[in-house]
Amino acid sequence: MWNANAAAWTELSRGGFDRYRDLVNTPAFFTLLPPVDGLLCLDLGCGEGHNTRLLAGRGARVAALDVAEAFIAAAVAAGGPGIRYLVGDGEVLPFRASGFDAVTAFMSLMDVADPERVLHEVARVLRPGGFVQFSVLHPVIAAPVGRWMNDESGARQGRVVGDYFYEGPLTETWSFGNAPAELRDRYEPFTITYARRTFAGWLSAVLATGLAIEAVAEPCADQQTAAAHPEVADTRIAPYFLIVRARKP
């Protein structure tokens, strides 16, 4: 599935059309991230390497892993010092125990079949005192039933959510709506199956590994960003992302 998505995802995201990532999620993630200069980090589910390169730019030495060969090929082609890319499965990490100072997972942990198993693997490869930080779709925006409420002018005012307590796989088809139609039409829309958990489900999955949660964030665009980029202003109405950081005792 991700190999099928990789070419379109790489071109459209590198073209600047992943606006929610670039304007909201990634800035919030790096604001929350502790210093990584000189640390040995694992970037789990690295995709085409956008955030991996930002991580390395902060001085981390990075091993970046993804299950999709097409994404790894695109990431390797983009280069970047201090990064080793490899194809691998997050549920069976090809690394020794206690080998990493930190693990990051940018919007990838929900894209595995068994997030709980991956988190146990993350805890295994972290050294004592090391940390993991990950972002996922917020359980509110990822509820199986959901629609926006608009006012008389068509402006979004609220979010209706249903079947919130469902936990399991969901499949969606979509594309980056900000991309020009002629560019989007070159590709099939993305088809993505992800593992949905509730807010409590995500936190409980982390705690079940023995990791200690030390930070949680629900990022939204600030007023200045929302005014300049109205396409992400709805993040101020309902959360799109959840960021969690936990540390190994």
Side-chain angles (χ1 to χ4, degrees):
M1 182 177 289
W2 281 103
N3 276 322
N5 291 328
W9 194 285
T10 299
E11 181 173 0
L12 294 174
S13 65
R14 289 181 179 177
F17 301 115
D18 194 347
R19 306 298 279 163
Y20 288 92
R21 179 195 71 181
D22 294 342
L23 294 171
V24 180
N25 194 30
T26 293
F29 194 102
F30 279 101
T31 295
L32 193 67
L33 190 71
V36 294
D37 187 20
L39 298 187
L40 180 59
C41 298
L42 169 62
D43 189 25
L44 185 60
C46 63
E48 55 79 35
H50 176 271
N51 287 326
T52 314
R53 294 186 289 274
L54 296 178
L55 188 65
R58 293 199 168 201
R61 296 173 293 130
V62 187
L65 178 143
D66 201 280
V67 74
E69 297 88 348
F71 267 143
I72 292 297
V76 170
I83 305 171
R84 176 194 173 201
Y85 289 106
L86 68 158
V87 176
D89 184 351
E91 295 184 10
V92 190
L93 291 174
F95 306 109
R96 63 180 176 85
S98 303
F100 289 96
D101 301 305
V103 177
T104 55
F106 298 87
M107 300 299 289
S108 60
L109 193 55
M110 75 271 188
D111 292 327
V112 300
D114 189 342
E116 289 78 8
R117 181 173 176 179
V118 174
L119 282 167
H120 277 281
E121 277 290 272
V122 166
R124 180 184 67 81
V125 302
L126 274 175
R127 64 165 178 80
F131 70 88
V132 56
Q133 184 168 307
F134 65 88
S135 59
V136 291
L137 278 175
H138 197 286
V140 166
I141 207 72
V145 178
R147 62 178 176 84
W148 289 102
M149 295 173 56
N150 299 337
D151 64 16
E152 294 80 1
S153 69
R156 289 180 172 178
Q157 294 293 299
R159 181 82 178 174
V160 176
V161 171
D163 204 10
Y164 174 82
F165 293 100
Y166 169 79
E167 293 192 318
L170 288 175
T171 299
E172 294 183 349
T173 299
W174 60 278
S175 188
F176 294 126
N178 295 295
E182 62 270 19
L183 183 55
R184 289 200 315 271
D185 291 346
R186 289 170 48 191
Y187 299 102
E188 292 295 320
F190 309 124
T191 297
I192 296 169
T193 297
Y194 60 93
R196 185 186 183 277
R197 302 291 184 267
T198 63
F199 193 101
W202 282 116
L203 300 189
S204 296
V206 174
L207 293 173
T209 69
L211 299 171
I213 295 172
E214 62 181 22
V216 177
E218 298 169 294
C220 68
D222 58 32
Q223 289 184 341
Q224 183 177 1
T225 300
H229 303 280
E231 67 271 27
V232 299
D234 57 5
T235 63
R236 297 180 60 80
I237 301 172
Y240 273 64
F241 309 109
L242 172 65
I243 304 175
V244 179
R245 186 173 75 242
R247 196 168 294 271
K248 185 174 182 177

